[in-house]
């Protein structure tokens, strides 16, 4: 191994939370993705589609319960049904 490769820090991808706008390492955030089937939680972080990230703070999770925050972040209009379905997923993810 070369000296240079050794000294280099591993790159950690950062993403910002849609509620508090702070940057966090990507893997610490919950990813939501907009798919043709609606907005879904993306545990793998790899699903195709427009994504939005939320950090672990209860305040941010709570703010995401506002449909406007989400539709602004994803830049798509969310129907009440889509939003309700997502909230159910989000609640389950947060409870466990
Ligand atoms: Zn946050």
């Amino acid at each position: 191994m070369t000296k240079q490769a050794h000294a280099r820090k591993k790159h950690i991808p950062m993403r910002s939370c849609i509620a508090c706008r702070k940057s966090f390492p990507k893997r610490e955030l919950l990813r939501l993705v907009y798919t043709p089937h609606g907005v879904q939680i993306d545990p793998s972080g790899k699903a195709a589609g427009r994504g939005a990230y939320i950090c672990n703070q209860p305040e941010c999770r709570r703010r995401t319960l506002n449909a406007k925050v989400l539709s602004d972040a994803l830049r798509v209009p969310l129907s009440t049904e889509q939003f309700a379905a997502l909230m159910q997923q989000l609640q389950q993810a947060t409870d466990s």
Side-chain angles (χ1 to χ4, degrees), residues 17-22 24 29 54-57 60-61:
C17 168
I18 59 168
C20 65
R21 310 268 172 194
K22 286 182 200 151
F24 296 90
L29 299 167
I54 317 168
C55 75
N56 279 321
Q57 296 180 87
C60 293
R61 294 286 164 101

Side-chain angles (χ1 to χ4, degrees), residues 2-93:
T2 68
K3 226 178 181 177
Q4 212 176 11
H6 214 70
R8 268 181 93 162
K9 267 194 170 176
K10 211 175 172 185
H11 177 70
I12 301 168
M14 303 289 280
R15 293 291 181 275
S16 53
C17 168
I18 59 168
C20 65
R21 310 268 172 194
K22 286 182 200 151
S23 288
F24 296 90
K26 198 179 162 193
R27 61 191 169 85
E28 287 179 21
L29 299 167
L30 182 71
R31 184 174 189 247
L32 303 175
V33 62
Y34 181 76
T35 73
H37 311 291
V39 180
Q40 297 173 343
I41 294 176
D42 174 24
S44 72
K46 288 172 187 161
R50 192 170 300 203
Y53 296 85
I54 317 168
C55 75
N56 279 321
Q57 296 180 87
E59 173 65 22
C60 293
R61 294 286 164 101
R62 209 163 51 76
R63 260 192 244 180
T64 332
L65 298 177
N66 178 341
K68 196 181 176 301
V69 171
L70 254 185
S71 55
D72 278 0
L74 293 165
R75 279 164 283 169
V76 290
L78 288 178
S79 72
T80 312
E81 281 152 26
Q82 282 177 327
F83 190 67
L86 175 69
M87 279 311 110
Q88 215 161 27
Q89 292 182 58
L90 200 60
Q91 220 109 54
Q92 281 167 4

